[in-house]
Amino acid sequence: LSLADPNDIIDRATLAKVANMNIQIKGINATFVIGKTDAKEVRISARSDNTVNVQFLLEKLGGGGHFSGAACAFNNLTIDEAEKKLLETLDTYLPAARLENPENK
């Protein structure tokens, strides 16, 4: 999980690039990068090594994408609030999002 400085506005493409770089680190199965993309929008960019269905997870937050790459956006939330929502989602749904789960085959 990577969080941008709450005072910085980060380009969407930069969030995706950081997620892409993070997933290249050995032993990382999924990465989530959170940043403010304008004054009122916070986005999460997620990537996985194909063992975690990040699309499934971010759909729970109103986003989408595909199995190994997904994103979602929130209006009028802080980075900390978006992180809290993500962590709650991971606590609830991460076991179901793992590839070894029979529901994902």
Side-chain angles (χ1 to χ4, degrees):
L1 181 60
S2 299
L3 303 176
D5 184 302
N7 298 314
D8 292 339
I9 303 294
I10 308 294
D11 184 71
R12 287 185 196 184
T14 301
L15 292 177
K17 287 176 188 175
V18 172
N20 287 336
M21 288 188 318
N22 287 351
I23 201 61
Q24 299 301 315
I25 298 170
K26 186 175 180 168
I28 301 290
N29 298 119
T31 184
F32 302 87
V33 179
I34 304 173
K36 192 181 339 181
T37 54
D38 71 33
K40 295 188 180 207
E41 183 180 70
V42 170
R43 295 183 69 84
I44 300 174
S45 184
R47 298 294 182 273
S48 84
D49 66 353
N50 290 315
T51 65
V52 177
N53 186 341
V54 292
Q55 174 186 2
F56 171 77
L57 293 167
L58 291 193
E59 282 177 350
K60 300 297 182 187
L61 295 168
H66 53 87
F67 191 98
S68 63
C72 67
F74 301 103
N75 289 314
N76 299 311
L77 282 187
T78 66
I79 288 174
D80 289 339
E81 291 167 334
E83 178 188 24
K84 184 177 185 222
K85 284 182 169 282
L86 173 62
L87 292 174
E88 289 169 352
T89 299
L90 294 175
D91 284 344
T92 303
Y93 296 106
L94 185 57
R98 293 203 171 272
L99 183 59
E100 60 268 13
N101 187 309
E103 294 174 16
N104 291 330
K105 292 185 179 175

